[in-house]
Amino acid sequence: MKNFSILFCLILSITLLAQKKDDSLTAKQKAILKAKEIGLALDLSEEQENQIALYLKKAIENRPTQPINRKELSPQERYEFRLARLEKQQDLNKQLQSILDKEQYAQWKNNQLYGRHKKVRKIKDKRKNQTKRKPHRQYHRS
């Protein structure tokens, strides 16, 4: 009986530790935070921030809950996945064009492009900084 109770406590503690803690933010909270970030970057009015937060909330709620392993997708599924992603980006651009004025939209586009270039540069720098293996030297005794 003593062994059983020890085993039970051990299994219980392992299962409690193995459970994933979901302390993440809600879709509304994520949307508000992102809208505030955009608002600070583009100097938006309160109404513009609210409209962007509403759109982002809908977009976040429509995201798939499970990450998609792209390596396991067939070529047709990969095509459909990329097409859907591009359509979502076009929809975002249209929504932001209707919400933002021309100057703000141009600044947002510039920030988007800069962010992409920044990510590419970061990856390239990371690859450069990786230590390269030195070739094995063989010494010949004469």
Side-chain angles (χ1 to χ4, degrees), residues 51-68:
Q51 289 175 343
I52 290 174
L54 260 173
Y55 175 77
L56 291 175
K57 181 184 173 212
K58 291 177 190 174
I60 290 171
E61 288 173 347
N62 291 335
R63 283 185 195 163
T65 54
Q66 293 289 330
I68 297 172

Side-chain angles (χ1 to χ4, degrees), residues 2-53:
K2 183 178 176 183
N3 291 339
F4 179 75
S5 62
I6 292 172
L7 183 64
F8 178 75
C9 289
L10 182 65
I11 292 173
L12 181 65
S13 63
I14 290 172
T15 55
L16 289 176
L17 288 174
Q19 289 180 356
K20 188 177 183 181
K21 293 182 182 179
D22 192 15
D23 296 337
S24 62
L25 301 172
T26 65
K28 184 177 181 179
Q29 291 170 331
K30 289 178 186 177
I32 290 172
L33 288 175
K34 188 66 177 172
K36 292 284 184 188
E37 288 175 8
I38 294 172
L40 286 173
L42 303 178
D43 194 32
L44 300 180
S45 68
E46 196 67 32
E47 182 182 337
Q48 288 174 319
E49 276 186 29
N50 292 336
Q51 289 175 343
I52 290 174

Side-chain angles (χ1 to χ4, degrees), residues 89-125:
Q89 286 177 348
Q90 285 178 335
D91 186 42
L92 174 66
N93 285 343
K94 287 178 187 176
Q95 288 291 328
L96 288 177
Q97 264 183 330
S98 67
I99 295 171
L100 304 174
D101 63 22
K102 289 183 180 183
E103 290 176 14
Q104 291 170 333
Y105 183 74
Q107 187 178 0
W108 179 79
K109 280 297 251 189
N110 188 26
N111 290 347
Q112 293 296 308
L113 291 174
Y114 175 71
R116 286 192 189 119
H117 292 300
K118 190 175 179 181
K119 287 178 186 177
V120 170
R121 263 189 261 122
K122 197 176 203 180
I123 292 170
K124 286 183 180 179
D125 289 344

